């Protein structure tokens, strides 16, 4: 235990609303610069937990420590709050210009005009919003508003940022663009972050660690691959969906197709990465075709892998089939196909999938 | 019809001549109602913000009471201020009944619930999470309250207009606590009542025109501020 203390440590945290316990978290920590995603359905207590972590909602029990120091007095809470920033689902912008909005946290800290000017422009640049500085915040689109809100939070150079469903109200393309930018900015600035989301792909892209929350309790924590591939219980499994989340090393990359080594296989996927890099990628079970004969030459899929059937689990209208390719993979098949192919545990099959079916999630 | 026509003609002549007494009356109206409005802003915005942000049992009752107070009949206010300032009343020793100060007090009492009620509504209309967002930006409590008030400034300007409009045009309280003393507590409304009762319609119309112009000018000014504030 001679490591430097985590940025944030939570012990035995409980929160009750109207006498009803809504949060009960025995332990939660966030290392310096770490990005943790908090995933769970609506009403699972994500927002309540985020507000409690920001000390904007008093807990009924337990303690929060920042770098080993207990946040237990008004003075400590205020000092701690000045080290963090929070972004909500709604942009909550002030009815003034974009510039003034981003300057808000700096003005609160009584920085000089010159410092404010350069810091605001620098932060707006980071979020590709520099051209919007003198615009009225009330005239921005949803995406621009949320960019401004994020810039306002990052402008104070927080040591930790709490993002409560920041993109939930945005349309898919805007959301994707913002997730990409946020991922880059979090990495560049090295800001520790907790991202609450109900979107697992967003969580996968942004975070190195995931915590699944349900009914105010963390039901599973771990790396995205752990949570996705080995859900701790039925709730997690049904919530995260059964994804094949895999980690491999890039062998080569040309013309936006990367070849990744995993379990003795070379898997081709669409994406840019440097050779030698470790990458996380995922493959939806429904995008994997299973056959009993080698489809090479018959299929247009770039990836064909020989595997052994481990388990067939009926799931109603379809069956989940777990195969071993030197790494575990899950595919979905209809009952008809299972019968037709005589898929029993131990049988040798070929799994094929297109390079475009593999999503490069992040580069580590 | 002649009465009105002649009244208007004479009124215009009176205005054109810049009658000394009329100017004094106008200035006093502006001074009394302006001061009363300022006082009501101090009390109304402070209490309204506190009320909007506080959580206590019976809050709804208090807010309802404030909202009722927005329509407080000036004669009732006049009656109670008179009683309080009466020679052997609780504040009789101040000896300010029938002075402009008494009128300012009465008008401030009328305008404060108006400003307070509009403040409560304006602050409560802000997004509920805005308060938390401001605190999360590192604000102290006073900074948070200040930013909320600033954020509600446009509806609050409507409160200023309503408050000022309410007191510059009220007559009941002013006549009761001011006494309509010539050259001392006579304002546009009390003078209009008197001239009308004497049958001097021309003077009454002139005074009414000034009152209307005054109201319009002040509201025009505030509206300009309100519109300009909104950045493009």
């Amino acid at each position: 235990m001679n490591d430097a203390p985590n940025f944030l440590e939570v012990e035995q945290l409980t929160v009750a609303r109207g006498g009803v316990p809504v949060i009960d978290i025995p332990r939660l920590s966030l290392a310096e610069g770490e990005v943790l995603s908090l995933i769970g359905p609506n009403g699972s207590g994500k927002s309540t937990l985020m507000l409690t972590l920001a000390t904007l909602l008093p807990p009924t029990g337990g303690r929060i420590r920042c770098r080993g120091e207990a946040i237990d007095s008004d003075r400590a809470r205020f000092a701690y709050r000045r080290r963090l920033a929070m972004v909500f689902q709604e942009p909550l912008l002030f009815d003034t210009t974009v510039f003034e909005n981003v300057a808000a946290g700096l003005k609160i800290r009584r920085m000089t005009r010159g410092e404010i000017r350069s810091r605001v422009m620098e932060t707006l640049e980071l979020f590709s919003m520099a051209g919007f500085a003198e615009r009225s915040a009330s005239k921005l689109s949803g995406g621009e508003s949320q960019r401004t809100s994020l810039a306002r939070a990052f402008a104070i150079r927080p040591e930790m940022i709490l993002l409560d469903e920041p993109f939930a109200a945005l349309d898919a393309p805007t959301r994707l663009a913002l997730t990409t930018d946020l991922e880059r900015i979090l990495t560049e600035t090295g800001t520790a972050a907790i991202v609450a989301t109900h979107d697992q792909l967003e969580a996968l892209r942004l975070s190195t660690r995931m915590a699944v929350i349900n009914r105010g309790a963390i039901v599973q924590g771990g790396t995205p691959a752990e949570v996705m591939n080995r859900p701790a219980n039925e709730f997690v499994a049904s919530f995260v969906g059964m994804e094949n989340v895999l980690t491999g090393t890039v062998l080569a990359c040309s013309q936006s197709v990367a070849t990744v080594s995993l379990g003795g296989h070379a898997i081709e996927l669409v994406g840019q990465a440097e050779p030698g890099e470790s990458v996380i990628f995922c493959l939806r079970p429904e995008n994997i075709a299973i056959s009993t004969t080698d489809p090479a030459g018959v299929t247009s899929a770039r990836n064909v892998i020989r595997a052994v059937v481990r388990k067939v689990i009926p799931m109603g209208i379809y069956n989940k089939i777990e195969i071993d390719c030197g790494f575990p993979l899950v595919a979905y098949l209809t009952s008809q196909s299972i019968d037709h192919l005589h898929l029993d545990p131990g049988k040798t099959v070929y799994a094929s999938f297109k390079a475009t079916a593999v999503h490069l999630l992040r580069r580590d | 019809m002649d009465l009105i026509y002649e009244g208007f003609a004479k009124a215009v002549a009176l205005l054109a001549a810049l009658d000394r007494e009329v100017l004094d009356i106008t200035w006093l109206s502006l001074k009394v109602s302006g001061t009363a409005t300022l006082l009501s802003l101090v009390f109304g915005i402070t209490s309204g913000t506190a009320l909007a942000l506080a959580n206590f049992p019976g809050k709804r009752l208090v807010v309802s009471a404030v909202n009722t107070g927005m329509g407080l009949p000036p004669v009732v206010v006049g009656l109670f201020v008179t009683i309080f300032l009466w020679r052997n009343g609780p504040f009789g020793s101040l000896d300010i009944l029938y002075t402009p100060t008494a009128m300012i007090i009465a008008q401030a009492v009328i305008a404060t619930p108006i400003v307070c009620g509009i403040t409560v509504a304006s602050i409560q209309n802000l997004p509920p999470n805005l308060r938390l967002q401001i605190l999360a930006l590192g604000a102290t409590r006073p900074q948070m309250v200040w930013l909320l008030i600033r954020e509600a400034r446009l509806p609050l300007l409507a409160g200023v207009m309503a408050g000022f409009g309410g007191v510059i045009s009220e007559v009941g309280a002013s006549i009761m606590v001011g006494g309509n003393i010539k050259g001392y507590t006579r304002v546009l409304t009390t003078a209009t009542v008197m001239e009308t009762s004497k049958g001097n319609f021309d003077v009454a119309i002139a005074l009414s025109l000034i009152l209307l112009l005054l109201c319009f000018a002040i509201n025009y000014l505030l509206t300009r501020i309100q519109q300009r504030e909104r950045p493009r």
Side-chain angles (χ1 to χ4, degrees), chain A residues 10-26 28 43-64 213 215-217:
Chain A
V10 168
E11 285 161 27
Q12 308 298 341
L13 190 74
T14 54
V15 181
R17 275 189 166 172
V20 183
V22 289
I23 293 285
D24 182 3
I25 292 179
L28 183 69
S44 57
K46 293 191 298 287
S47 292
T48 307
L49 177 57
M50 294 294 261
L51 290 176
T52 312
L53 292 179
T55 68
L56 293 172
L57 192 73
T60 20
R63 79 177 89 233
I64 298 174
I213 182 169
R215 295 180 187 192

Side-chain angles (χ1 to χ4, degrees), chain A residues 173-197:
Chain A
T174 308
R175 192 179 182 136
L176 187 67
L178 260 171
T179 311
T180 310
D181 282 359
L182 179 62
E183 182 191 356
R184 170 178 57 83
I185 292 161
L186 280 172
T187 313
E188 275 174 20
T189 57
T191 314
I194 301 182
V195 190
T197 176

Side-chain angles (χ1 to χ4, degrees), chain A residues 64-77:
Chain A
I64 298 174
R65 283 176 196 279
C66 178
R67 300 213 173 105
E69 278 177 44
I71 309 299
D72 52 6
S73 65
D74 281 344
R75 179 191 280 261
R77 264 187 288 278

Side-chain angles (χ1 to χ4, degrees), chain A residues 103-358:
Chain A
L106 310 175
K107 285 196 167 166
I108 283 170
R109 284 163 179 74
R110 306 199 189 288
M111 284 172 62
T112 64
R113 287 174 76 92
E115 284 174 311
I116 291 176
R117 172 117 223 131
S118 62
R119 180 77 71 83
V120 168
M121 291 319 290
E122 188 185 308
T123 315
L124 282 175
E125 204 77 59
L126 208 56
F127 284 92
S128 322
M129 287 291 290
F132 290 78
E134 294 312 317
R135 286 263 206 112
S136 160
S138 57
K139 304 249 158 63
L140 299 176
S141 72
E144 290 158 0
S145 297
Q146 203 53 285
R147 272 176 195 275
T148 307
S149 187
L150 281 164
R152 176 173 64 181
F154 273 94
I156 60 176
R157 304 229 172 115
E159 293 167 62
M160 173 177 79
I161 186 160
L162 299 168
L163 303 155
D164 188 7
E165 297 265 13
F167 309 137
L170 304 176
D171 58 66
T174 308
R175 192 179 182 136
L176 187 67
L178 260 171
T179 311
T180 310
D181 282 359
L182 179 62
E183 182 191 356
R184 170 178 57 83
I185 292 161
L186 280 172
T187 313
E188 275 174 20
T189 57
T191 314
I194 301 182
V195 190
T197 176
H198 61 257
D199 182 338
Q200 34 162 325
L201 283 174
E202 202 170 279
L204 281 167
R205 292 209 43 175
L206 295 171
S207 63
T208 41
R209 204 154 58 88
M210 275 172 125
V212 185
I213 182 169
N214 187 32
R215 295 180 187 192
I218 289 177
V219 288
Q220 189 175 8
T223 63
E226 280 165 3
V227 175
M228 296 287 193
N229 293 340
R230 292 189 291 279
N233 58 30
E234 251 177 283
F235 168 78
V236 179
S238 69
F239 185 71
V240 299
M242 197 55 208
E243 290 273 357
N244 294 300
V245 179
L246 306 160
T247 310
T249 311
V250 178
L251 295 173
C253 185
S254 64
Q255 285 161 358
S256 74
V257 174
T259 310
V260 176
S261 154
L262 174 62
H265 300 279
I267 294 166
E268 291 187 18
L269 55 90
V270 174
Q272 280 291 344
E274 294 299 320
E277 234 183 329
S278 168
V279 290
I280 299 174
F281 53 98
C282 80
L283 178 56
R284 289 198 154 270
E286 57 271 31
N287 292 335
I288 301 171
I290 299 289
S291 55
T292 44
T293 52
D294 191 344
V298 184
T299 172
S300 64
R302 293 248 207 159
N303 299 294
V304 177
I305 295 171
R306 208 177 123 103
V308 177
V309 176
R310 286 280 174 243
K311 217 172 176 184
V312 178
I313 307 155
M315 304 279 287
I317 55 167
Y318 60 89
N319 294 266
K320 192 167 98 179
I321 159 169
E322 292 180 12
I323 57 176
D324 183 0
C325 313
F327 55 89
L329 213 54
V330 171
Y332 292 156
L333 283 178
T334 61
S335 301
Q336 236 178 347
S337 307
I338 300 266
D339 289 344
H340 181 72
L341 297 171
H342 305 291
L343 294 183
D344 296 315
K347 182 155 182 138
T348 299
V349 290
Y350 295 86
S352 50
F353 48 92
K354 296 182 173 181
T356 51
V358 191

